[in-house]
Amino acid sequence: MTAGAPGVAVARPAHLPPPARAFASSFEAGQPAPDWTSTPERASGVDGGYATGGLPGEVTDRVTGVRASAENTAGGEVKENLADGEPSTKWLTFAATGWAEFDLDAPAAVTTYALTSANDAAERDPADWTLSGSADGSTWTVLDSRSGDDFTERFQTKTYPLAAPAEYRHFRLDVTKNHGADILQLADLRLATGGSDGPVPPDMLTVVDRGPSGSPTAKARAGFTGVRALRYAGRHTASGRAYSYNKVFDVNVRVGARTRLAYRIFPQLADGERDYAATNVSVDLAFTDGTYLSGLAAVDRYGFPLSPRGQGAARNSAGNVYVQGLKVDGRTWTSTSLPHSLLAEGGTLEFAMGPRPSAWGSGKNAAPVSITRDDRVPTPRTDALTGSGALADNTSGTAATVSGAVALPSGGATKAVQYTLTSAERAKAPTGWRLEGSADGTTWKTLDRRSGQTFAWDRQTRAFDVGSPGRYARYRLVFDGEVRLSEVELLS
């Protein structure tokens, strides 16, 4: 069994034991491991010079494990984000200080490291920290210390040289102070050897690592639930077509007319790694009679050739511009719209494309739900708030800490039918409150009451219907305790 991008032959023993009826591997612990690592059967114009983001000699892709003092699991702001090469993800802990430890697959002589600031709230950035190294994960040696450091931009990567190369397998970042918040966050930590670690590997890499993390067009780890996967990576060095077919598994499986070959490819483009518009890939099978699946006119379930070039041409050609079908997380999907819940949670969309229009999306219930009936012009609700300050400035980039009754000036008598609250920090989001209305500012009527509410992530906007709407000159929210919000809207 091979993976490549195209044409392969796999040597076979002259005499084989009786074939099995099935073979599978998810590359996890206890699953079959590859028989070959970074071993091409046939290749041209490809080498193994892959790096995630541009630090000379970067070894972050060799991280096999991450531990941390704490993390925001519910919000997806977990420790693994520190080593995913994606500035759009981050590690967050609800404390002003924290630590994270990283295990490499083997010791590396690190000469440089880099930190990347997260997406928001500069006051959460690290200010004071130490980087330490360890041979056994227990005894630590301080390699670098920083005090009063500052990130001037969001998603900014700053590089820090070590006084001398430090060859360790385990590294620890210990942040002892941030810039004043009671929350600590960081997008990435990267480790590098400075580029003096020998020549570029001559062959395309096929190695087992911790699995895909995300890309500029995909939510982090969406569609992938494991902790190991086979990574293929390299550089296109030829001026024209290039390819590499790498051997992976030496299997002995009987293949018949009803045999099913299934695999998933997770594209991963680390930040800065956008040199190639597309890389086509497929899994091939080599048979004992010297033939290969890709050479037997085999096709996938959509009728496209089972070869790297065939798969790429089928889905990316200028002629195949019409959707033939769609699967969402493996389920057939006939609607032309997706619900907000799916977009918020992440999922895998699998489109089948073709050169001619199809019946997909033409069913009675396939069109998106209209916000109006017949041909009526939409009249969207508008925000009636006229106040100033963080809660009424129409941006979630600011926030305010409030408690008790908070006035919601509306500029006159208004009938509010809905309102929205946008959290700041999830940990300080409101759980209970009352919306009240008044004609004179003295006598107040409860229009809506909420309790036991939760906000799943920082800066989440939630909408609430007014239980007893009416026309009032004044509105206010009365919170159960001190909370922190980014925005309030009063919709009429």
Side-chain angles (χ1 to χ4, degrees):
M1 182 178 294
T2 62
V8 63
V10 177
R12 287 298 196 178
H15 301 286
L16 292 172
R21 299 189 63 86
F23 173 85
S25 179
S26 62
F27 302 98
E28 305 289 349
Q31 292 284 308
D35 295 290
W36 293 282
T37 299
S38 303
T39 305
E41 183 69 28
R42 191 170 83 180
S44 176
V46 176
D47 67 21
Y50 169 80
T52 58
L55 279 184
E58 183 162 359
V59 294
T60 313
D61 59 327
R62 290 170 48 189
V63 172
T64 59
V66 184
R67 295 173 298 281
S69 54
E71 60 187 355
N72 179 20
T73 305
E77 296 161 338
V78 294
K79 57 188 180 297
E80 287 79 11
N81 293 344
L82 287 168
D84 65 1
E86 280 294 324
S88 60
T89 66
K90 66 182 179 183
W91 167 60
L92 182 145
T93 176
F94 295 107
T97 63
W99 56 264
E101 296 177 356
F102 305 82
D103 302 329
L104 300 182
D105 57 357
V110 170
T111 62
T112 307
Y113 70 100
L115 303 183
T116 302
S117 60
N119 62 318
D120 60 2
E123 63 272 16
R124 303 175 185 172
D125 291 343
D128 299 354
W129 69 82
T130 59
L131 180 73
S132 302
S134 173
D136 57 9
S138 298
T139 303
W140 297 93
T141 300
V142 174
L143 308 176
D144 189 54
S145 297
R146 301 285 165 166
S147 178
D149 207 88
D150 186 34
F151 292 86
T152 58
E153 302 174 12
R154 299 300 83 203
F155 306 117
Q156 180 185 11
T157 297
K158 298 184 68 175
T159 303
Y160 306 91
L162 301 184
E167 186 166 5
Y168 293 103
R169 184 175 180 180
H170 310 277
F171 293 85
R172 175 185 172 107
L173 179 71
D174 195 349
V175 180
T176 55
K177 183 181 178 182
N178 65 7
H179 286 274
D182 54 3
I183 294 177
L184 174 66
Q185 67 180 23
L186 185 66
D188 284 313
L189 177 141
R190 294 157 61 185
L191 302 167
T193 61
S196 58
D197 53 347
V200 172
D203 302 316
M204 184 180 81
L205 305 179
T206 42
V207 296
V208 175
D209 72 357
R210 64 183 182 275
S213 56
S215 78
T217 58
K219 184 176 179 179
R221 288 177 297 281
F224 178 75
T225 57
V227 296
R228 291 288 184 272
L230 182 76
R231 176 165 64 91
Y232 66 93
R235 296 187 308 183
H236 183 131
T237 61
S239 59
R241 174 173 173 249
Y243 57 88
S244 181
Y245 263 84
N246 284 24
K247 299 186 291 184
V248 181
F249 287 110
D250 183 8
V251 300
N252 182 20
V253 178
R254 183 182 299 278
V255 175
R258 299 178 64 85
T259 301
R260 182 187 180 207
L261 172 64
Y263 55 92
R264 280 191 170 187
I265 303 295
F266 296 86
Q268 177 167 330
L269 297 174
D271 188 68
E273 182 61 38
R274 298 184 176 91
D275 293 340
Y276 313 122
T279 300
N280 305 321
V281 66
S282 70
V283 171
D284 205 354
L285 301 179
F287 299 106
T288 54
D289 63 358
T291 60
Y292 322 106
L293 185 67
S294 59
L296 298 177
V299 296
D300 64 19
R301 60 183 173 183
Y302 298 115
F304 301 132
L306 276 176
S307 68
R309 298 186 75 183
Q311 292 286 288
R315 287 174 169 80
N316 297 307
S317 71
N320 291 324
V321 297
Y322 297 102
V323 176
Q324 308 296 301
L326 170 63
K327 288 182 179 291
V328 178
D329 290 335
R331 295 179 290 118
T332 299
W333 197 269
T334 58
S335 173
T336 58
S337 63
L338 298 169
H340 173 267
S341 59
L342 182 98
L343 298 176
E345 296 173 3
T348 300
L349 307 183
E350 184 181 352
F351 287 94
M353 307 300 292
R356 293 177 296 278
S358 72
W360 181 84
S362 61
K364 179 180 179 181
N365 299 317
V369 177
S370 176
I371 61 174
T372 62
R373 294 190 178 189
D374 303 320
D375 58 354
R376 297 176 186 175
V377 176
T379 54
R381 294 167 180 169
T382 58
D383 186 5
L385 287 188
T386 59
S388 59
L391 299 184
D393 59 2
N394 295 318
T395 174
S396 62
T398 59
T401 300
V402 297
S403 61
V406 178
L408 304 177
S410 59
T414 300
K415 182 180 180 181
V417 295
Q418 196 175 55
Y419 62 101
T420 71
L421 301 181
T422 301
S423 63
E425 290 88 19
R426 172 179 171 271
K428 293 186 176 180
T431 59
W433 63 85
R434 301 190 311 275
L435 176 68
E436 298 181 343
S438 174
D440 55 12
T442 302
T443 303
W444 293 88
K445 179 181 178 181
T446 298
L447 309 179
D448 190 55
R449 181 74 171 94
R450 303 282 171 162
S451 62
Q453 299 297 310
T454 60
F455 288 76
W457 55 83
D458 294 355
R459 289 172 171 76
Q460 180 188 9
T461 299
R462 295 190 59 197
F464 304 92
D465 291 329
V466 176
S468 303
R471 185 171 294 275
Y472 296 94
R474 294 176 173 84
Y475 287 87
R476 70 182 185 185
L477 281 165
V478 183
F479 293 100
D480 300 344
E482 185 178 274
V483 301
R484 190 163 173 79
L485 290 170
S486 291
E487 197 71 18
V488 176
E489 293 177 308
L490 192 65
L491 304 177
S492 62

